[in-house]
Amino acid sequence: MGDAEEDLVENTPGYVPPKKVALDDLKNLDADDEALNKWKAQLLAGADGGDSSDPRKVIVEKMIFVSSEPGKNIELDLTGDLSSLKSDSKITIKEGSEYRLRIQFKVQHEVVAGL
């Protein structure tokens, strides 16, 4: 992992992040509005809050390097033992190759703004 300084996000001038609201508070907000409750139920379907022993809010599950050449995608599964990635995987990318990075993640415990 990187240093804490590397992980800090720079502030964007004029941006004010929204105040944090607990997931349960969001579910119970405007309880008398039937249309809003239906929309929230659809939006938050399956939002159980995640693993209570895991304090992370955003969990990166997979990284995929999508190549401009068919069949050259590189996929890294980040859900298991990460030490196997270090020892078992060698990735070689030729100079001049073009890749796009696709990240698969999940959010737990609360709504995360700014992703």
Side-chain angles (χ1 to χ4, degrees):
M1 293 299 257
D3 294 334
E5 291 180 31
E6 292 176 7
D7 295 336
L8 294 177
V9 177
E10 293 181 26
N11 291 332
T12 302
Y15 174 73
V16 179
K19 69 176 188 169
K20 291 187 178 186
V21 179
L23 191 56
D24 288 335
D25 292 343
L26 285 176
K27 287 180 180 178
N28 297 326
L29 196 63
D30 298 322
D32 57 337
D33 188 332
E34 185 178 330
L36 184 58
N37 285 330
K38 186 177 177 180
W39 176 76
K40 284 193 287 187
Q42 189 176 29
L43 179 67
L44 298 172
D48 60 358
D51 181 3
S52 60
S53 65
D54 187 351
R56 298 176 297 171
K57 296 175 189 168
V58 178
I59 299 172
V60 178
E61 296 176 331
K62 191 179 289 188
M63 291 179 59
I64 304 168
F65 296 87
V66 182
S67 174
S68 57
E69 298 179 40
K72 298 274 186 174
N73 292 355
I74 301 169
E75 189 170 309
L76 301 174
D77 184 3
L78 304 175
T79 56
D81 182 16
L82 298 181
S83 63
S84 65
L85 284 177
K86 198 173 196 179
S87 60
D88 296 346
S89 301
K90 281 192 174 184
I91 299 173
T92 304
I93 300 176
K94 292 193 311 186
E95 185 177 348
S97 300
E98 290 187 24
Y99 285 87
R100 290 178 294 138
L101 179 61
R102 194 170 118 198
I103 300 173
Q104 182 177 330
F105 63 92
K106 71 178 181 179
V107 176
Q108 66 177 11
H109 302 304
E110 62 182 67
V111 174
V112 177
L115 287 179

